[in-house]
């Protein structure tokens, strides 16, 4: 069975641009969460979606938004990129109240 | 607010046991997890424990939970060089959403 898949694997953007990151959950998983992992730190929670509804949001500015589609895949959008947005963005999926399984992430570099 | 703390580094010899410690603050947490991250990769779920359990064993891994002290540990028996990685402790909130709070990670070095 395929695990959580994320695309693209790497991305380079410049300040002020916007970016869309994509995630496909494990088949049957209806919950998708997004995390930001800055080098040398643990992942920081950004959003959780369940059945296309936002269920939780971390301490991130409104430049960060997300959505979940009917097939449970998800997109994370970041507008007006800043140098500090450079990080590994991780997507995780789970059955409703079960442990999360992570993808390999999208490494975003802002120049 | 919620917080998870871990020591940053641990170095052991191959064949020895490794013990990675973690403290957390949210007493309402329902799940506590251990994840492993190798260079350039995402997080691999190693094991987890419900908050109403004291211990869980899974092959070479033993998780101990002291709920009174909010202390979680991961013991890896017969540590191998392939165990070298960063290990993250995490707690899952029960209230205010379902976010998972991670520690900063413990980097485990295994010397041959």
């Amino acid at each position: 069975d395929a695990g959580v898949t994320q695309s693209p694997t790497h991305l380079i953007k410049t300040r002020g641009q916007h970016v869309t990151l994509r995630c496909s959950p494990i088949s049957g998983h209806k919950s998708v969460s997004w995390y930001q992992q800055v080098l040398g730190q643990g992942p920081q929670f950004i959003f959780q979606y369940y059945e296309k509804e936002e269920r939780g949001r971390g301490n991130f500015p409104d430049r960060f938004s997300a959505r979940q589609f009917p097939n449970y895949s998800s997109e994370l959008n970041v507008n007006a990129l800043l140098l500090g947005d450079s990080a590994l963005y991780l997507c995780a999926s789970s059955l409703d109240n079960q442990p999360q399984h992570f993808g390999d992430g999208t490494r975003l570099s802002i120049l | 607010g919620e917080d998870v703390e871990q020591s940053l580094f641990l170095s052991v010899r191959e064949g020895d046991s490794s013990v990675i410690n973690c403290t957390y603050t949210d007493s309402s947490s329902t799940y506590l997890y251990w994840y492993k991250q190798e260079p350039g990769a995402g997080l691999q779920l190693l094991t987890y424990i419900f908050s109403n359990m004291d211990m869980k064993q899974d092959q070479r891994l033993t998780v101990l939970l002291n709920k009174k002290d909010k202390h979680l540990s991961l013991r890896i028996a017969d540590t191998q060089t392939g165990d070298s990685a960063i290990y993250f402790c995490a707690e899952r909130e029960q209230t205010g959403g379902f976010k998972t709070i991670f520690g900063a990670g413990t980097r485990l070095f295994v010397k041959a």
Side-chain angles (χ1 to χ4, degrees):
Chain A
D1 283 344
V4 177
T5 57
Q6 293 187 242
S7 63
T9 55
H10 296 83
L11 201 51
I12 299 174
K13 292 284 189 178
T14 57
R15 283 178 294 175
Q17 288 188 310
H18 69 273
V19 68
T20 298
L21 310 181
R22 295 178 175 84
C23 172
S24 293
I26 292 172
S27 178
H29 287 191
K30 297 180 179 180
S31 174
V32 170
S33 297
W34 287 95
Y35 293 82
Q36 180 195 66
Q37 187 180 21
V38 174
L39 196 62
Q41 298 181 19
Q44 298 291 313
F45 173 78
I46 309 175
F47 287 109
Q48 189 198 22
Y49 277 78
Y50 179 75
E51 289 278 17
K52 295 164 284 179
E53 297 288 327
E54 182 183 301
R55 219 185 209 184
R57 184 186 182 113
N59 294 325
F60 281 82
D62 291 343
R63 299 185 296 109
F64 289 76
S65 63
R67 55 180 175 167
Q68 186 177 31
F69 298 99
N71 65 354
Y72 304 112
S73 67
S74 178
E75 284 182 353
L76 175 70
N77 294 284
V78 187
N79 293 324
L81 287 165
L82 303 174
L83 292 177
D85 296 331
S86 294
L88 179 68
Y89 287 85
L90 295 163
C91 174
S93 76
S94 66
L95 295 170
D96 185 16
N97 204 29
Q98 298 300 308
Q100 296 176 321
H101 296 266
F102 284 78
D104 285 337
T106 294
R107 187 162 299 281
L108 176 63
S109 299
I110 310 300
L111 303 179
Chain B
E2 63 279 327
D3 195 15
V4 175
E5 294 190 356
Q6 306 176 234
S7 52
L8 293 181
F9 298 100
L10 176 65
S11 180
V12 300
R13 291 193 179 278
E14 191 174 25
D16 287 350
S17 291
S18 307
V19 179
I20 302 172
N21 295 300
C22 167
T23 58
Y24 61 97
T25 57
D26 187 354
S27 59
S28 69
S29 293
T30 53
Y31 287 86
L32 293 139
Y33 307 105
W34 285 102
Y35 284 89
K36 175 183 179 183
Q37 187 175 38
E38 298 186 72
L43 275 67
Q44 173 193 354
L45 177 65
L46 283 179
T47 187
Y48 62 96
I49 189 168
F50 291 102
S51 57
N52 62 357
M53 297 169 64
D54 297 326
M55 186 184 88
K56 180 179 180 181
Q57 188 153 3
D58 185 1
Q59 300 182 333
R60 293 192 297 124
L61 305 178
T62 302
V63 178
L64 295 178
L65 175 60
N66 181 328
K67 201 171 179 182
K68 174 177 169 289
D69 294 337
K70 297 179 188 171
H71 182 267
L72 185 73
S73 68
L74 174 69
R75 179 176 179 269
I76 306 172
D78 187 25
T79 312
Q80 302 298 306
T81 54
D83 294 325
S84 293
I86 302 175
Y87 290 81
F88 291 96
C89 169
E91 62 171 343
R92 183 171 189 172
E93 283 190 337
Q94 187 176 8
T95 57
F98 295 86
K99 65 180 178 179
T100 302
I101 310 299
F102 285 82
T106 298
R107 186 177 292 274
L108 175 64
F109 295 95
V110 182
K111 296 174 285 189

